[in-house]
């Protein structure tokens, strides 16, 4: 396994990056699957990195009037630290 992901070099180039382009793709998949997002829904992103997808996804679904619980896990401590700093 390459260490650039966990040693910080990968994340140094990704500061502030957001994966907004993925949001409509996931929303379309959720709709196609017939899943209804509710406040009680729980979503886990495995390999969330610094939250570059979870933040715009959270904003998009909030505009739909729902606030499910979103969580992310990752193996890169520095990415997790950045996500925590971003979330306050």
């Amino acid at each position: 396994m390459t260490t650039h992901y966990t040693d910080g070099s990968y994340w140094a180039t990704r500061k502030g990056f957001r994966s907004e382009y993925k949001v409509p793709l996931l929303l379309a998949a959720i709709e196609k699957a017939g899943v209804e997002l509710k406040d009680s829904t729980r979503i886990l992103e495995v390999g969330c990195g610094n939250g570059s997808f979870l933040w715009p996804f959270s904003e998009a679904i909030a505009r739909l009037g729902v606030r499910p619980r979103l969580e992310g896990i990752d193996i890169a401590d520095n990415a997790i630290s950045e996500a925590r700093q971003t979330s306050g």
Side-chain angles (χ1 to χ4, degrees), residues 3 9-10 14 17-19 22 26 31 33 36 41 44 46 52 54 56-58 62 65-66 71 76 82 84 87:
T3 59
S9 56
Y10 175 80
R14 312 273 299 167
F17 178 78
R18 292 170 53 101
S19 296
K22 296 177 184 176
L26 183 56
E31 183 178 342
E36 180 184 352
T41 302
L44 173 66
V46 177
S52 65
L54 285 176
F57 183 68
S58 172
V66 293
E71 294 188 47
E82 184 179 329
R84 284 184 177 140
S87 70

Side-chain angles (χ1 to χ4, degrees), residues 5-68:
Y5 185 80
T6 56
D7 71 5
S9 56
Y10 175 80
W11 295 106
T13 65
R14 312 273 299 167
K15 294 253 185 231
F17 178 78
R18 292 170 53 101
S19 296
E20 283 126 339
Y21 72 94
K22 296 177 184 176
V23 172
L25 301 172
L26 183 56
L27 289 175
I30 289 169
E31 183 178 342
K32 186 174 182 176
V35 174
E36 180 184 352
L37 294 178
K38 303 175 186 176
D39 290 347
S40 61
T41 302
R42 296 179 65 163
I43 298 171
L44 173 66
E45 182 182 7
V46 177
C48 68
N50 61 0
S52 65
F53 170 74
L54 285 176
W55 300 122
F57 183 68
S58 172
E59 293 163 358
I61 58 178
R63 287 191 294 273
L64 298 175
V66 293
R67 294 193 179 273

